Amino acid sequence: MRGLYADVIIDISHEAIDRTFQYAIPDDIAGRIQIGSQVNIPFGKGNNRRKGYVIGISDSTEYDESRIKSIDSLCEDGVAAPGRLLALAAWIKENYGSTMINAIQTVMPVKKTVKSVVVRYVVLSCEDVDTWEYRYMKKNARAKLRLLRELMVRHELPMTEATGALNVSHQAVKAMEDEGVVRIVEDSRYRDVVSDAVRQQAFEAPDIELNSDQQRIVDDFVSDADQGIHRTYLLHGVTGSGKTEVYVRCIREVVRAGRQAIVLIPEIALTYQTLTYFSRYFGDRVTMVNSKLSSGEKYDQFERARKGDVDVVIGPRSALFTPFEKLGLIIIDEEHESSYKSDSPPKYHARETAIERARLEGASVILGSATPSVESYKRALAGEYRLWTMDSRIEGRAMAETSIVDLRDELHRGNRSIISDELANDIADRLSKREQIMLFINKRGYNSFVSCRSCGEAVKCPHCDVSMALHSGNNTQKGVLVCHYCGFRMPEPDKCPACGSKLIGGYGVGTEKVEQEVHRLFPEARTLRMDRDTTSKKNSHEQILESFGRGDADILIGTQMIVKGHDFSRVTLVGVLLADLTLFSGDYRAGERTFDLLTQAAGRAGRGDVPGKVVIQTYKPDNYAITAAASQDYRAFYDIEEAYRSLMRYPPEWNMMVIMGTGMDEEQLANIMDRMYSLIRGKYINAGHLSVIGPSEPAISKIKDVYRRVLYIKHRDYRMLVDVKDYVEEWLKENGENDVSVFFDLNPVNMY
């Protein structure tokens, strides 16, 4: 019988060993090893023990068999990557640039087995209960008697209850076990990640009668499913049009067919509301995963999915890699959100990756948004995606009235407050009616930055090339300057660190300052603040939203996490305090991002029976993104934005790749980036319309003492950029510097 050989990827994240190594498979594990198995292997000249992943098995080798090493053993605590996820990892590596091991680690959010939670029970095991009751009474064994009588009623109870509420010692329970009166049994269970608040609302929901738009879309999906057609759909529905109910109906069809579904959401803050809604239809067959879960909780949810104990998993980007065996549908809600793009290598986009996973699994994809990304809408118009539209809110509810306030006029009238007169009057009116209000500003902290009026220097982080944000103190403490990139903190200075002047103070505005101003103008108002500072603890998102939903606060103040998909029926006023914050970010997507946020913010008002109003405060009231958002006119925005992208050769009209180099030595980094530029220009000089820009400093040239340099490359053909990436990767293997890291970002959602 011929031996078997495994192609193994070494568990080391380094480009120099980004290839497979072939190992012989010992006979004693040949029957257990499979694609995705994690193994212990001897590696290198010293035969150092390493871990690796099996990505291929064959019965032949091109090498001298005498020189091939053998696998030591299978990792007993290793989680096997399903073959389809390994194929997805290879696709991510090819299309986004990374080592294969990094791509595998990306599709395997849980890297190792976590011990199960074991619950111990005390079970009544004797038949002559009356005899033992008499013996315990005669011996005055009160603790044993209490436990026996409780078990006579319930037959079994948790050990924690026996030793807790019944106050029976472990020794007494053990003695009863030795006497044959009881048995102690153990049962492993999954860690529960669904809160009691969700469980209490998880009643079986009655079927909602769909309107004509919803029913048309569901029928279309069912028809395709019945014919075995799997495709990508773009659901463009205005805010409040009932997209979530469409998701539920499509998932039910998938579940009825014996398959499972993944629902991606852009923010952890949306988990509570989404999970509550879906639990009403799917009960305990739905669960969630996100970065706030412990390793044990996350492991248990993926195990439940792998074993088929749940049908639906809800979560942000990483939930895409849930190891379902029979995946039938992936839904990406708010598909336009930039959070679906990974912010660390490999810089994959969840939308494109979901479409590829669906292709591998024979599944469908639904992309949903009130403000579809320009890329997705263009593809839908071109017929690559099936376009579904819902143009009106459910139950005939009116869209919110929108008012644009010109902040320049406020200044001319002498209003220096961050809240305009119109918004202040509207807030007072809603408070008097006991209706709720949401105030949105896309900046956390108290001030945006601290600057010296004498020399003009802003106080920057010593480790990053960014200004530090001022977070307010209290009556006894000064404020604190915080770097939002590396977390460095320092007390608010009394004088300028650059020139020594005492003419130093904060500029700009953040959520903390908004909250302070609201308290000044409306001291009777109850407020909640929701930003990264107030949601750092586990379950904090859920607690804030649950509190606001109960009516514990009149006003919710927050960053963009409060305007994405939330549904509060008592909110009748939304105020956007500075619509310009995203408009002048130096990013080619600035207009789109502004339109998205304003439209989503406007969609939070008037979702109940009372009509809503939105007040947009801006210094640029005539900007196309702001006027289109105010009128909720997506197509008007898209036509202007698409024309601008085409003129400037930006995605989706053209494709773009960023090559980012980072290193501690600024001169060494600059040298290798210059060489890379010359390499690309020399190789692709005859490639029509290939544009290479740089190398240059990005907007933030240093983070955590690490310098950054970028090259921008544009071309119409995405495959041309992938070819450039592959060529640079090969060059780096021979010419790269160990102290310089390089990564690739194709069609970035944020500029550098």
Side-chain angles (χ1 to χ4, degrees):
M1 178 178 177
R2 301 183 66 179
L4 292 176
Y5 302 91
D7 295 321
V8 178
I9 284 286
I10 311 301
D11 193 4
I12 304 173
S13 180
H14 194 287
E15 290 84 350
I17 54 169
D18 182 24
R19 66 180 184 88
T20 59
F21 294 84
Q22 201 165 54
Y23 286 82
I25 301 176
D27 293 340
D28 60 330
I29 63 171
R32 293 183 290 143
I33 203 165
Q34 59 181 324
I35 300 295
S37 293
Q38 192 175 31
V39 291
N40 295 308
I41 51 173
F43 183 72
K45 293 181 179 179
N47 285 329
N48 296 317
R49 189 182 178 91
R50 299 285 192 184
K51 293 184 186 299
Y53 295 101
V54 176
I55 64 170
I57 298 174
S58 64
D59 59 2
S60 63
T61 178
E62 298 178 0
Y63 305 101
D64 182 352
E65 293 186 28
S66 64
R67 300 182 61 186
I68 294 181
K69 301 174 185 177
S70 293
I71 292 172
D72 283 345
S73 61
L74 275 169
C75 296
E76 297 303 327
D77 63 346
V79 179
R84 292 187 296 272
L85 285 180
L86 280 175
L88 186 63
W91 180 88
I92 289 174
K93 175 193 180 300
E94 174 63 19
N95 284 271
Y96 295 104
S98 77
T99 62
M100 184 62 181
I101 191 63
N102 271 353
I104 291 174
Q105 290 170 340
T106 297
V107 304
M108 294 177 63
V110 177
K111 308 299 188 300
K112 60 186 296 185
T113 301
V114 180
K115 289 184 178 180
S116 301
V117 174
V118 176
V119 181
R120 304 175 74 203
Y121 293 90
V122 183
V123 180
L124 186 64
S125 62
C126 66
E127 295 182 359
D128 50 344
V129 177
D130 294 338
T131 300
W132 282 104
E133 183 181 24
Y134 174 76
R135 289 181 184 177
Y136 291 153
M137 290 174 60
K138 187 174 182 180
K139 295 180 178 180
N140 198 28
R142 297 179 181 178
K144 292 182 177 180
L145 187 60
R146 281 197 305 276
L147 179 56
L148 178 64
R149 286 176 172 171
E150 185 67 21
L151 288 172
M152 289 167 65
V153 176
R154 297 169 56 187
H155 190 69
E156 75 172 35
L157 70 156
M159 175 69 81
T160 53
E161 186 176 339
T163 58
L166 294 181
N167 196 26
V168 180
S169 67
H170 285 281
Q171 292 85 348
V173 178
K174 184 65 170 64
M176 293 176 71
E177 183 182 35
D178 293 339
E179 292 165 343
V181 179
V182 301
R183 287 185 297 111
I184 299 173
V185 298
E186 294 184 345
D187 181 31
S188 61
R189 63 174 177 82
Y190 293 119
R191 296 164 179 86
D192 194 0
V193 298
V194 181
S195 68
D196 292 338
V198 171
R199 293 287 189 208
Q200 290 166 6
Q201 299 185 59
F203 55 86
E204 185 173 349
D207 279 342
I208 298 173
E209 184 176 350
L210 301 182
N211 61 31
S212 58
D213 282 344
Q214 292 172 315
Q215 190 63 60
R216 167 178 52 82
I217 291 168
V218 172
D219 290 345
D220 195 18
F221 180 83
V222 172
S223 175
D224 280 353
D226 288 344
Q227 298 176 65
I229 297 173
H230 306 292
R231 65 174 76 184
T232 299
Y233 307 88
L234 176 61
L235 174 52
H236 177 207
V238 298
T239 55
S241 58
K243 293 187 291 294
T244 306
E245 187 62 27
V246 172
Y247 299 157
V248 166
R249 297 301 178 94
C250 291
I251 291 174
R252 286 172 104 178
E253 293 301 320
V254 168
V255 171
R256 285 194 186 106
R259 306 187 75 178
Q260 299 102 12
I262 296 170
V263 180
L264 299 188
I265 53 178
E267 290 273 358
I268 291 179
L270 288 170
T271 305
Y272 169 69
Q273 181 171 288
T274 308
L275 189 62
T276 299
Y277 195 96
F278 277 76
S279 292
R280 294 173 182 173
Y281 293 90
F282 302 102
D284 60 3
R285 301 288 297 181
V286 60
T287 190
M288 67 173 184
V289 295
N290 59 52
S291 60
K292 297 291 184 181
L293 301 184
S294 68
S295 58
E297 289 171 330
K298 187 181 293 186
Y299 174 80
D300 279 0
Q301 306 324 303
F302 280 119
E303 275 295 284
R304 293 178 69 196
R306 186 179 64 82
K307 293 179 178 179
D309 293 337
V310 294
D311 299 316
V312 184
V313 168
I314 297 168
R317 194 174 59 233
S318 63
L320 175 59
F321 307 113
T322 300
F324 277 132
E325 289 293 330
K326 298 179 180 179
L327 182 63
L329 176 62
I330 302 171
I331 293 173
I332 304 183
D333 193 28
E334 311 293 357
E335 68 87 25
H336 62 276
E337 285 290 345
S338 60
S339 57
Y340 286 125
K341 179 87 178 211
S342 173
D343 51 9
S344 59
K347 287 182 169 285
Y348 70 92
H349 199 298
R351 179 181 59 233
E352 320 305 333
T353 309
I355 292 170
E356 175 63 15
R357 183 172 185 193
R359 187 190 69 80
L360 293 169
E361 305 268 3
S364 298
V365 177
I366 297 177
L367 310 173
S369 178
T371 57
S373 64
V374 174
E375 289 85 351
S376 291
Y377 200 73
K378 182 177 177 62
R379 289 170 186 163
L381 293 180
E384 293 181 46
Y385 302 162
R386 178 70 175 271
L387 179 62
W388 291 330
T389 57
M390 297 196 297
D391 297 325
S392 58
R393 285 185 163 183
I394 57 174
E395 299 178 358
R397 293 171 183 160
M399 301 297 289
E401 172 195 351
T402 305
S403 175
I404 299 177
V405 174
D406 190 338
L407 290 176
R408 297 171 298 183
D409 294 340
E410 295 291 310
L411 288 175
H412 291 155
R413 289 197 302 269
N415 180 15
R416 303 289 178 179
S417 172
I418 53 180
I419 296 177
S420 65
D421 291 339
E422 179 178 345
L423 181 56
N425 291 333
D426 287 335
I427 292 173
D429 175 68
R430 299 316 191 272
L431 289 174
S432 69
K433 296 176 181 177
R434 297 189 178 278
E435 295 169 2
Q436 289 183 303
I437 302 142
M438 296 173 74
L439 297 179
F440 161 62
I441 183 168
N442 201 25
K443 192 75 177 178
R444 63 190 173 112
Y446 187 79
N447 284 115
S448 300
F449 63 96
V450 172
S451 178
C452 176
R453 292 181 178 90
S454 179
C455 70
E457 288 293 321
V459 180
K460 288 191 171 184
C461 172
H463 308 288
C464 307
D465 183 33
V466 293
S467 300
M468 300 181 70
L470 175 62
H471 290 246
S472 63
N474 52 42
N475 294 331
T476 59
Q477 291 182 319
K478 297 180 62 178
V480 177
L481 291 178
V482 180
C483 175
H484 288 167
Y485 283 84
C486 73
F488 177 78
R489 304 168 72 90
M490 63 179 284
E492 179 185 0
D494 294 318
K495 58 184 180 180
C496 175
C499 72
S501 171
K502 292 187 177 181
L503 298 175
I504 188 169
Y507 293 86
V509 60
T511 48
E512 288 183 48
K513 193 168 186 177
V514 173
E515 187 175 36
Q516 184 185 81
E517 183 69 356
V518 168
H519 288 159
R520 184 183 73 83
L521 295 174
F522 309 100
E524 77 283 5
R526 301 166 299 162
T527 64
L528 282 170
R529 178 163 57 88
M530 190 169 183
D531 53 30
R532 194 177 300 177
D533 298 314
T534 62
T535 57
S536 58
K537 296 181 180 178
K538 187 174 181 179
N539 299 325
S540 51
H541 296 86
E542 179 179 313
Q543 291 164 2
I544 293 172
L545 294 172
E546 185 182 345
S547 179
F548 188 64
R550 285 197 308 264
D552 295 342
D554 306 302
I555 303 175
L556 177 61
I557 301 163
T559 55
Q560 56 181 294
M561 62 177 66
I562 73 169
V563 302
K564 298 178 180 178
H566 299 300
D567 190 348
F568 297 108
S569 60
R570 294 174 57 198
V571 171
T572 59
L573 176 64
V574 171
V576 181
L577 300 187
L578 283 175
D580 310 325
L581 281 177
T582 52
L583 198 56
F584 304 110
S585 61
D587 190 330
Y588 75 93
R589 295 180 187 269
E592 180 178 12
R593 192 163 288 120
T594 300
F595 175 81
D596 292 346
L597 284 172
L598 296 183
T599 304
Q600 294 293 332
R604 299 316 109 205
R607 297 176 76 93
D609 297 328
V610 180
K613 181 180 179 181
V614 182
V615 178
I616 300 174
Q617 300 184 167
T618 174
Y619 289 99
K620 288 288 184 180
D622 298 325
N623 182 273
Y624 73 99
I626 292 174
T627 56
S631 61
Q632 299 278 294
D633 191 342
Y634 175 82
R635 190 56 191 259
F637 163 77
Y638 172 82
D639 288 341
I640 296 174
E641 184 70 12
E642 196 269 343
Y644 157 71
R645 301 277 185 92
S646 180
L647 178 66
M648 300 302 294
R649 296 184 174 182
Y650 284 128
E653 296 302 321
W654 282 56
N655 289 284
M656 182 167 63
M657 177 170 66
V658 175
I659 303 179
M660 169 74 80
T662 62
M664 302 286 286
D665 187 320
E666 188 174 12
E667 184 176 344
Q668 181 188 43
L669 173 62
N671 177 265
I672 198 167
M673 295 301 289
D674 286 338
R675 291 163 59 198
M676 193 184 301
Y677 169 83
S678 299
L679 174 84
I680 296 171
R681 291 288 297 174
K683 168 74 171 178
Y684 296 95
I685 191 170
N686 295 320
H689 305 294
L690 182 75
S691 175
V692 185
I693 305 168
S696 60
E697 290 186 354
I700 302 173
S701 62
K702 183 176 70 170
I703 295 179
K704 298 181 181 179
D705 295 317
V706 176
Y707 293 96
R708 295 145 52 95
R709 295 291 184 274
V710 290
L711 278 169
Y712 294 97
I713 304 173
K714 295 181 183 180
H715 198 272
R716 279 192 180 276
D717 187 355
Y718 187 90
R719 296 310 307 174
M720 174 62 76
L721 297 184
V722 172
D723 187 75
V724 174
K725 172 191 69 68
D726 293 344
Y727 181 62
V728 172
E729 284 181 323
E730 287 299 317
W731 179 79
L732 285 170
K733 289 180 180 179
E734 300 294 330
N735 301 277
E737 301 283 353
N738 291 335
D739 298 331
V740 173
S741 296
V742 175
F743 66 81
F744 305 86
D745 193 353
L746 285 93
N747 288 337
V749 297
N750 295 301
M751 297 297 283
Y752 291 86

